[in-house]
Amino acid sequence: EDISAEPDEVTTITTANARRYVRINGVSLEGFKMQNQTHGADTQAAGQWILRTDKGDGESIRVNHDILKPTFDWNAADTAKAVYYNVIGFAMISDDGEIEIWPTEVEKVSVTNPVKAEISGNIISKRDYYAATRSYDMDVEFYPYTTVTLTPTGAGAMPTIYYWISRNDKEKVPATAMWNVYQQPFAVTKSCRIHVMAIRPGFEESVHTHLDMTLVEPEPQISGSLTISHRFDEENNKYFITIEPDDKSLAEGTYTIHYTTDGSAPTLNSTVYHGEFPMPKEGGIILAILKEAAKEYPGAVAQHNISYIPSGIDGIDSDRDDSAAVSVENGSIIAPEGSEVYDINGRRVASTALRPGIYIVRVPGAKAVKVKVD
C-alpha cells in the first residue's frame, strides 16, 4: 500500500527483470488455494502456481502466491471458465535461482467464452484436450480432407469468431495478422494448426482454441496373395487347376478370385474362379488376382505355367533304342540339338544346372526319354 511507483509493463518475465516492479497483462493462472492443502503453506507455496503469458499460449512463469497474498477470488467457477488476468508484482529470484513473480494485485479480465470445434468426415483419429487447458484444443488426423465447424459457447450476445491458419504448432500468429472472420464450415486439405478465438461485445477476446490438423495417408488396403496348383488326370489326359488364397482364414463369400488363361493381365472383370477347372489342350499360363471385400485393392498377380508333354511319354524307360543319344553329366542333360527337357510336372526347363529328380527329354524325330539326375 505504501508503493506509489507505476509498474513497468512487460510481456514476459526473465532474470533480467529481477527486483523490478512489473505489470504483465493477459495471462492465464493455474494453481489452487493453499489453505485447502493438508501440508503447511510454507512447503506448498513454491512452484504450485504458474502464470502463462499470451493468454495461456506463451511461456510459463512461477507465481509465489503465498508471500504477498493478493485478494482475488479463485474458485471452482473460475476453473470452469476461460478467463485470464492482468498481474502486478515484484519479479524476484527464488531460492533455487528461478525467476518468479510476487503478486501485489491481480485483476480478473472478463472474456468471451471459448470456441468449440466440430470435425466431420474422413477422421482417422481425434483427441480433445479441453479438460487440461480450459479451452477446446484438439488433435485430429484425417485423410484426404475433413471439414471444420466452429461454434460459440456460453450465453449472451453472439460473438464474432475469428481464425488463423499456420503451418504447424511452432509458428506463432504474427502480431499484425489479419484474422479470418468465420462465416461457414471450411475444408482442411493439408497439415496445419488452426488458431480460433471469439469476441463478444463488451468483453475481451476468448482464450484461443487450437486445432492441430495432420494429414495422414493411410496404408493402402491391398488384398492378399494366391497359390495356384494343378493335377494331371491321366484318364482324360488333362491338367486341372486349383486357385486358393494363402490366407486360409478368409471365409467363403468375403472374397473373389479372378483369372485369365490367355496371358492377359487379370482384372476385376476377368473370369471369376468357382472351383477346379481344366486347362485348354494347348496348355498355357494362368494369371489370377484375389479381391477381398474388406480391402480397397486386389492383391498381387499370381502366375502358374502349364506346358503339356506329348502323349505317350508315361511308361517310357531310359533303355529305349533312342536313349543312347541322351545322357546326364554333372547335373546337366546332354541331348541332340532341338531336344526339349521337361520336369515331372510337365514344365519345360533348361537342360543345365538341374536339381536331382526325374526328367523327360523329347528328342526330335524320336520318342520321349526318361532320365534321372542325381
Side-chain angles (χ1 to χ4, degrees):
E1 294 177 358
D2 297 331
I3 297 174
S4 59
E6 287 296 319
D8 297 329
E9 194 155 314
V10 296
T11 57
T12 188
I13 301 175
T14 67
T15 52
N17 303 117
R19 301 177 187 83
R20 290 175 61 190
Y21 189 48
V22 297
R23 175 188 180 96
I24 184 166
N25 296 328
V27 302
S28 68
L29 282 171
E30 298 176 14
F32 48 77
K33 287 184 177 180
M34 295 303 174
Q35 60 267 33
N36 289 343
Q37 302 306 306
T38 57
H39 301 289
D42 291 341
T43 60
Q44 288 293 305
Q48 298 298 336
W49 284 73
I50 62 169
L51 65 78
R52 296 187 193 276
T53 62
D54 297 333
K55 301 182 180 67
D57 229 8
E59 301 174 64
S60 298
I61 300 166
R62 193 158 63 188
V63 179
N64 197 326
H65 177 263
D66 191 58
I67 289 182
L68 298 181
K69 296 183 179 177
T71 56
F72 71 101
D73 181 23
W74 181 277
N75 53 37
D78 290 327
T79 62
K81 296 177 181 177
V83 294
Y84 61 87
Y85 301 85
N86 301 328
V87 178
I88 297 174
F90 293 98
M92 302 296 287
I93 301 293
S94 66
D95 292 340
D96 57 7
E98 296 293 326
I99 192 71
E100 62 184 21
I101 187 168
W102 297 3
T104 60
E105 182 181 341
V106 178
E107 176 190 9
K108 187 188 300 182
V109 180
S110 297
V111 298
T112 307
N113 286 300
V115 177
K116 267 190 173 181
E118 179 183 346
I119 313 298
S120 56
N122 305 313
I123 299 171
I124 296 175
S125 69
K126 182 171 73 72
R127 293 184 64 187
D128 193 331
Y129 293 95
Y130 171 73
T133 64
R134 292 180 290 127
S135 65
Y136 291 92
D137 293 358
M138 192 181 294
D139 284 350
V140 179
E141 292 183 341
F142 67 94
Y143 181 81
Y145 68 90
T146 192
T147 301
V148 175
T149 302
L150 302 177
T151 307
T153 60
M158 290 294 291
T160 302
I161 298 176
Y162 300 87
Y163 68 96
W164 174 267
I165 300 177
S166 59
R167 287 171 294 182
N168 52 54
D169 60 356
K170 307 299 182 186
E171 184 180 11
K172 297 282 187 180
V173 179
T176 57
M178 298 293 291
W179 288 62
N180 302 290
V181 177
Y182 174 77
Q183 296 178 320
Q184 61 186 17
F186 57 90
V188 178
T189 59
K190 61 183 180 181
S191 297
C192 63
R193 167 172 266 208
I194 305 174
H195 306 255
V196 184
M197 67 173 177
I199 301 178
R200 186 155 63 99
F203 288 76
E204 296 290 331
E205 69 183 50
S206 69
V207 169
H208 293 183
T209 291
H210 302 105
L211 309 176
D212 287 314
M213 314 294 293
T214 304
L215 177 67
V216 178
E217 185 167 355
E219 292 292 329
Q221 296 295 302
I222 300 175
S223 302
S225 55
L226 295 168
T227 295
I228 305 175
S229 58
H230 68 268
R231 66 178 181 87
F232 182 69
D233 186 331
E234 294 186 4
E235 182 177 348
N236 296 299
N237 196 31
K238 286 184 179 180
Y239 285 90
F240 285 83
I241 309 303
T242 299
I243 311 175
E244 297 177 307
D246 288 339
D247 183 357
K248 304 305 180 186
S249 67
L250 289 178
E252 290 289 339
T254 64
Y255 65 89
T256 55
I257 296 173
H258 304 263
Y259 71 93
T260 63
T261 58
D262 60 0
S264 63
T267 69
L268 298 182
N269 294 320
S270 300
T271 304
V272 177
Y273 176 80
H274 292 293
E276 187 182 62
F277 64 90
M279 278 295 290
K281 289 183 178 180
E282 65 273 14
I285 180 172
I286 303 99
L287 301 173
I289 54 173
L290 173 69
K291 175 61 175 70
E292 298 176 46
K295 302 290 180 67
E296 186 175 0
Y297 302 105
V301 176
Q303 176 177 321
H304 193 70
N305 294 306
I306 294 292
S307 298
Y308 277 95
I309 300 172
S311 60
I313 63 171
D314 286 324
I316 295 178
D317 297 318
S318 59
D319 57 356
R320 297 294 182 108
D321 292 340
D322 49 19
S323 66
V326 179
S327 62
V328 177
E329 295 182 9
N330 298 321
S332 296
I333 294 176
I334 309 301
E337 184 177 356
S339 298
E340 298 174 352
V341 180
Y342 296 86
D343 65 15
I344 197 65
N345 291 317
R347 292 173 296 195
R348 187 174 177 180
V349 296
S351 61
T352 58
L354 295 169
R355 295 180 179 179
I358 302 298
Y359 293 87
I360 299 168
V361 182
R362 181 183 179 189
V363 180
K367 292 185 177 181
V369 179
K370 281 185 179 178
V371 296
K372 182 180 180 183
V373 176
D374 294 321

